[in-house]
Amino acid sequence: MNFELTKEQQMIKEMVREFAEKEIAPNAAKWDEEAYFPVEAFKKMGELGLLGIPFPEQYGGAGGDTISYAIAVEEIGRACGGTGLSYAAAVSLGASPIYYFGTEEQKQQWLVPMAKGETLGAFGLTEPNAGSDAGGTRTRAVLDGDEYVINGEKCWITNAGHARQVIVTAVTGKDERGKNIISAIIVPTNTPGFTIRCNYDKMGVRASNTCELVFENVRVPKENVLGDPTKGFKQFLYTLDGGRISIAALAVGIAQAAFEKALQYAKERTQFGQSISKFQAIQFKLADMAMEIELARNMVHKAAWLKDQGKPFTKEAAYAKLFASEAGFRACNQAIQIHGGYGYMKEYGVERHLRDIKLMEIGEGTSEIQRLVIARQLGC
C-alpha cells in the first residue's frame, strides 16, 4: 500500500479541514457545554457531500474510498469529538448497512437521501442487558401477516433523535441448533409505538445525539428486513468492523487536536527562564504523543486500504481501534499534564479532548472486546 495520499484524498483533507476550522471548531466548546447537536453543521456537511463520501454516485454519494472517509472523520473529530462521532455514526452505522445489505428499493428509499445529506440514519444494536454480548439481544420481532411486530428497548443509540429511520437488531426466531436468529429491520422513527428519548447527561462527546429507544408493538412491513433475515448477526459484525475504522480515525483526530494544543503551549509557556519545550521531560512527552498518533493514523489507513481492496480487515480494524483509542487517551492525558493547572480549566480546551476520547475505548466494542477479536483472528 502507498502511504502517500492521492490527489483526491489530499483535496478532501484540505476541504474538510477548512470547513471544520471555520464552521465547527469555533463552536465546539459551546456545543459541548450545552449538549447541543449541530443541525446546521450537518446540513452544510451534506451540501459538501461529506455524508456520502464512501458511496457510489448512483446512490447520491461522492464515489470516494474508505481512506478518504477516514480522513474526513479525523478532520471533523480534530475540531469537535461529538460532531465527529455523529458524523462517523451517520455514515458507518446509519447508511453503510443499507448500502452493503439492502435491496435496490431500500437503497433508493433510505440510502440516497442519507448520502445526499438530506436525512440521517441510526443503528440500534446495544441494549441495557446486551452490550458487548450482542448475541444476548432481547428485542423481539414477530411476523404477523405481512408485518413484523417489534417489542424491546435499545440504549446509547447515536443520532436517533434526528434520524429518519433506525436499523434495529431483533430476534426473529430460532435456527436448527436452537440458537437465536437475529435480523436487522429498518424502522421509520415516526412509526406508532416507537419512542425515542434523548435525556442522557454524558461525560464527553456531548455534541453528539445519544438516545434510548423503546418499541411497544411497533409494526413495520416485512420488506423492511435488511437483506437476508437469517444473517442479521453477520451483517452487524461486518458493520462494526467498518465502524471501528471510523472510531479509530476519530480517536486520531481528537488526539491530534490535543497534541497541537500541547505543543503550542509548551513553546509559549516559560519556566526557569526558558520555554518548557526546552525541557527534556516535556520533549519526551511530545515525542511519544507525536509518534503514537502517527502510528495510529497509519493503522487506520491500512485497515481502510484493506477494506477498499476487498481483503479481510477485521483484525486490522480491531488493531486500529484499540491502539488509536488507547494511544489517543494517553495523548490527551499528557496534553493536560503539559498544560499543568491550566489544562484542568475549560478555557484551554484540552480537558474536553480527554472527556471526548474516553468513549473511543468503550464505543463500537470496548478495548477488552477488541483484544478478544484480535485473539480470535490469531486463532486462539
Side-chain angles (χ1 to χ4, degrees), residues 6 12 20 25 35 38 47 52 82 115 150 160 203 219 222 265 288 301 311 358:
T6 65
I12 285 173
E47 289 163 9
I150 306 170
M203 168 181 164
R219 289 180 168 269
K222 67 178 182 183
Y265 181 83
D288 284 345
H301 289 185
K311 298 174 185 286
K358 183 58 201 172

Side-chain angles (χ1 to χ4, degrees), residues 68-125:
S68 298
Y69 164 56
I71 289 167
V73 174
E74 178 185 335
E75 291 300 330
I76 294 168
R78 177 175 166 267
C80 173
T83 307
L85 179 67
S86 274
Y87 170 65
V91 179
S92 291
L93 302 182
S96 290
I98 296 175
Y99 172 60
Y100 293 129
F101 310 114
T103 63
E104 190 59 33
E105 292 78 11
Q106 288 170 344
K107 289 175 186 175
Q108 293 299 331
Q109 184 176 358
W110 305 108
L111 175 61
V112 170
M114 283 190 285
K116 287 181 176 176
E118 297 166 357
T119 64
L120 287 176
F123 188 74
L125 172 65

